[in-house]
Amino acid sequence: EPEVTQTPSHQVTQMGQEVILRCVPISNHLYFYWYRQILGQKVEFLVSFYNNEISEKSEIFDDQFSVERPDGSNFTLKIRSTKLEDSAMYFCASSFYTDTQYFGPGTRLTVL
Amino acid sequence: AQRVTQPEKLLSVFKGAPVELKCNYSYSGSPELFWYVQYSRQRLQLLLRHISRESIKGFTADLNKGETSFHLKKPFAQEEDSAMYYCALSGRDNYGQNFVFGPGTRLSVLP
């Protein structure tokens, strides 16, 4: 069964550095999403992406964040200048339509 | 504002006992409700969606629009059901598409 994959599984970075989190959605899916989960807190929606553009974004998704689908298979989340409070688990998800989302295993981002 | 609440952070039951994980939502439009499960060290997985009205791993959930609830139930809990359960809402209103997760309930099934 196809799955969403994410790399790396764990990323450690210094505050102020840029990070790129990578996701490979399920191949025939059309909608792509990023979520984050700060340790001990709930899963929070960041952004959804469809037809090569952002379709929805939350208040968390400020100018420090950007998403891209550079090559038709990868879906990336970039954080330009990381802050301590960006430390979290970041989940990518994809769906064929705006219904059932399939999640990746997550990338744990640690900002020092 | 869209919101999903799960009042219990932790729910412990004995094996073979019935279990009910509560979920309430507030949403102005017509939402689609889901239950996701996260077993230890695994990814979030879809367990149920309300429109499919199916039973997965013995779990069922009924959308009650009057009470704005989507409680997850299983008549006889198993130890392998121990996991984190998230109720989630997806819907479109005048402001766009919304995806909201509840805070989650950790189910612990004791032997």
Side-chain angles (χ1 to χ4, degrees), chain A residues 3-5 33 35 37 40-45 48 56 91 98-106, chain B residues 4 32 34 36 38 42-46 49 86 90 92 95-104:
Chain A
E3 288 185 330
V4 176
T5 59
Y33 314 85
Y35 293 83
Q37 185 177 30
Q41 298 186 26
K42 67 177 182 179
V43 177
E44 300 174 292
F45 168 73
S48 61
E56 305 290 343
F91 294 102
T98 55
D99 52 1
T100 306
Q101 297 179 29
Y102 294 84
F103 283 78
Chain B
V4 176
E32 187 165 356
F34 304 84
Y36 281 86
Q38 189 174 29
Q42 295 187 29
R43 67 184 70 198
L44 278 160
Q45 305 172 31
L46 177 70
R49 45 192 298 219
Y86 295 95
S90 173
R92 178 170 287 282
Y95 303 100
Q97 187 76 29
N98 300 280
F99 309 94
V100 181
F101 276 75

Side-chain angles (χ1 to χ4, degrees), chain B residues 1-2 22 25 27 29 38 96:
Chain B
Q2 305 81 22
K22 291 184 167 53
Y25 66 92
Y27 188 66
Q38 189 174 29

Side-chain angles (χ1 to χ4, degrees), chain A residues 69-80:
Chain A
R69 190 156 159 79
D71 57 12
S73 63
N74 289 283
F75 179 51
T76 61
L77 174 69
K78 183 194 289 187
I79 309 175
R80 285 190 186 81

Side-chain angles (χ1 to χ4, degrees), chain B residues 8-74:
Chain B
E8 301 127 335
K9 273 192 170 180
L10 173 64
L11 183 64
S12 295
V13 300
F14 285 102
K15 176 182 169 182
V19 63
E20 181 180 48
L21 296 128
K22 291 184 167 53
C23 171
N24 288 88
Y25 66 92
S26 67
Y27 188 66
S28 56
S30 192
E32 187 165 356
L33 275 296
F34 304 84
W35 276 100
Y36 281 86
V37 60
Q38 189 174 29
Y39 300 103
S40 180
R41 295 195 178 90
Q42 295 187 29
R43 67 184 70 198
L44 278 160
Q45 305 172 31
L46 177 70
L47 183 62
L48 283 177
R49 45 192 298 219
H50 89 266
I51 64 170
S52 59
R53 302 183 69 82
E54 57 193 341
S55 173
I56 303 292
K57 300 184 179 182
F59 285 96
T60 58
D62 288 316
L63 179 62
N64 185 323
K65 290 185 179 179
E67 295 182 358
T68 60
S69 68
F70 188 55
H71 303 326
L72 183 69
K73 299 177 186 178
K74 184 169 182 175

Side-chain angles (χ1 to χ4, degrees), chain A residues 17-73:
Chain A
Q17 295 296 304
E18 174 184 285
V19 293
I20 297 176
L21 309 182
R22 290 183 168 78
C23 168
V24 178
I26 293 173
S27 61
N28 66 338
H29 284 184
L30 303 176
Y31 293 79
F32 314 109
Y33 314 85
W34 282 102
Y35 293 83
R36 79 170 184 193
Q37 185 177 30
I38 295 170
L39 187 64
Q41 298 186 26
K42 67 177 182 179
V43 177
E44 300 174 292
F45 168 73
L46 293 178
V47 66
S48 61
F49 193 85
Y50 170 71
N51 201 24
N52 281 320
E53 60 183 22
I54 291 173
S55 50
E56 305 290 343
K57 60 181 180 177
S58 70
E59 292 173 353
I60 304 166
F61 194 87
D62 61 21
D63 292 343
Q64 290 299 310
F65 291 90
S66 62
V67 288
E68 198 177 32
R69 190 156 159 79
D71 57 12
S73 63

